[in-house]
Amino acid sequence: MSAAEQDERGARSERIEILAPDAITESTDTVPVIQLEGVGKTYGTVRALTGIDLAVQAGEVTCVLGDNGAGKSTLIKIMAGLHAHTSGTMLISGKPRTFGSPREAVEAGIATVYQDLALAPLMSVWRNFFLANELRKGPLKLLDAERMKRITREELAKMGIDLQDVDRPVGSLSGGQRQCVAIARAIYFGAKVLILDEPTAALGVKQSGVVLKYVARAADSGLGVVFITHNPHHAFLVGDHFVILKLGEMALDAARDEITVEQLTEQMAGGDELAELAHEMRTGD
């Protein structure tokens, strides 16, 4: 790893005050884990996405910002295997792919954590962690509860949560801790790419900070992270690369050293459109 890459990772950890992170998985492979080249999506006569170019590198956080209707959800669905793109090319580790189902995306190492987290609030933390992937033992294939509880504690500890009572309902955890369970679960089951759909949207300031620490930890462990958000300040805390979508097209594509948080906020808020509106209002008086 180059000195510049080490400085950037250190700076990201300092920005969100991560203490004693686990060993970072280094990758010398420069091939993006996901790369979109001119990707588009149409639904009949409706064009949802046009000409999207996006590269997600291992160990980096790629932030995708945009207002409602910008195309963020469609982009997620293409990468997660819910919908197939209708134009352009999607490459997974350099190989062209078109997913026919979410299962194919998961098998390719792409995990998506949606806003609803897909957790059962009345079930225990460990049951949620291994939901649909339970470990079994013996000729009768009984649930290996003790092993699953131990693994759940260990994996949550790697993300910075010391939760000894994994028998408690997951609904009793804070919003940030529930996000951590979903993220840790994805990492444990072999994700190479983690897509986070508005993970801080329904959280307060403190809990948002907790989730942002987990996002950074995921990237520092070697995953490629796609962070979908409306909030440019949250994005700039953890992001290495920034993309803004407007009406299904890319309005901004910039690396961290090419943009400031003020510029990102201005572009997210409308930028040139707001300036034009202000001019029209002044001249109309």
Side-chain angles (χ1 to χ4, degrees):
M1 182 186 299
S2 68
E5 288 173 330
Q6 291 177 339
D7 291 343
E8 174 56 30
R9 284 192 174 179
R12 175 166 56 204
S13 298
E14 291 172 4
R15 288 195 297 273
I16 57 177
E17 299 177 350
I18 296 178
L19 300 179
D22 296 326
I24 295 172
T25 301
E26 298 187 6
S27 174
T28 59
D29 192 358
T30 58
V31 177
V33 285
I34 294 184
Q35 186 169 3
L36 307 181
E37 297 178 345
V39 164
K41 175 65 178 177
T42 58
Y43 298 95
T45 59
V46 178
R47 188 173 295 278
L49 287 178
T50 304
I52 303 300
D53 296 316
L54 180 69
V56 180
Q57 296 285 356
E60 292 187 357
V61 179
T62 300
C63 299
V64 180
L65 301 95
D67 208 345
N68 293 329
K72 302 189 305 297
S73 295
T74 302
L75 182 63
I76 292 173
K77 291 173 182 176
I78 290 173
M79 292 189 290
L82 282 168
H83 293 169
H85 53 286
T86 52
S87 62
T89 304
M90 178 170 67
L91 299 99
I92 306 300
S93 298
K95 299 179 180 179
R97 290 291 303 270
T98 298
F99 296 131
S101 68
R103 174 61 63 182
E104 291 185 12
V106 171
E107 290 173 351
I110 300 172
T112 305
V113 178
Y114 295 98
Q115 291 185 49
D116 59 11
L117 300 179
L119 298 176
L122 298 181
M123 291 179 66
S124 65
V125 174
W126 69 269
R127 288 299 299 270
N128 270 280
F129 193 94
F130 283 94
L131 192 62
N133 292 283
E134 290 81 1
L135 301 180
R136 298 182 180 274
K137 62 180 179 179
L140 298 180
K141 302 298 182 181
L142 300 176
L143 290 178
D144 193 347
E146 291 306 313
R147 183 182 172 198
M148 287 188 282
K149 291 178 183 180
R150 174 178 55 79
I151 291 173
T152 300
R153 293 190 194 97
E154 292 173 352
E155 295 303 313
L156 291 178
K158 292 178 183 178
M159 297 293 290
I161 288 187
D162 182 15
L163 186 66
Q164 294 303 312
D165 183 14
V166 292
D167 284 307
R168 63 190 292 187
V170 76
S172 68
L173 302 179
S174 68
Q177 289 175 324
R178 290 195 296 272
Q179 285 280 351
C180 177
V181 172
I183 293 171
R185 179 177 64 183
I187 295 173
Y188 176 75
F189 286 105
K192 298 177 183 177
V193 178
L194 186 62
I195 303 173
L196 302 173
D197 180 19
E198 301 275 6
T200 61
L203 303 180
V205 174
K206 184 176 181 180
Q207 288 301 321
S208 293
V210 171
V211 171
L212 292 174
K213 290 182 181 181
Y214 302 149
V215 172
R217 283 183 183 271
D220 287 345
S221 69
L223 274 70
V225 179
V226 180
F227 180 30
I228 312 293
T229 182
H230 279 84
N231 193 316
H233 294 279
H234 288 174
F236 204 77
L237 280 172
V238 296
D240 298 290
H241 198 93
F242 306 95
V243 170
I244 293 180
L245 298 181
K246 290 185 181 179
L247 300 177
E249 299 182 2
M250 293 180 65
L252 176 75
D253 181 10
R256 183 179 185 85
D257 58 2
E258 297 173 338
I259 196 168
T260 66
V261 66
E262 290 79 15
Q263 292 170 329
L264 188 64
T265 303
E266 181 182 2
Q267 289 294 323
M268 181 64 185
D272 296 338
E273 291 88 344
L274 286 178
E276 183 178 345
L277 176 61
H279 176 71
E280 290 177 358
M281 294 179 67
R282 286 195 300 269
T283 57
D285 291 341

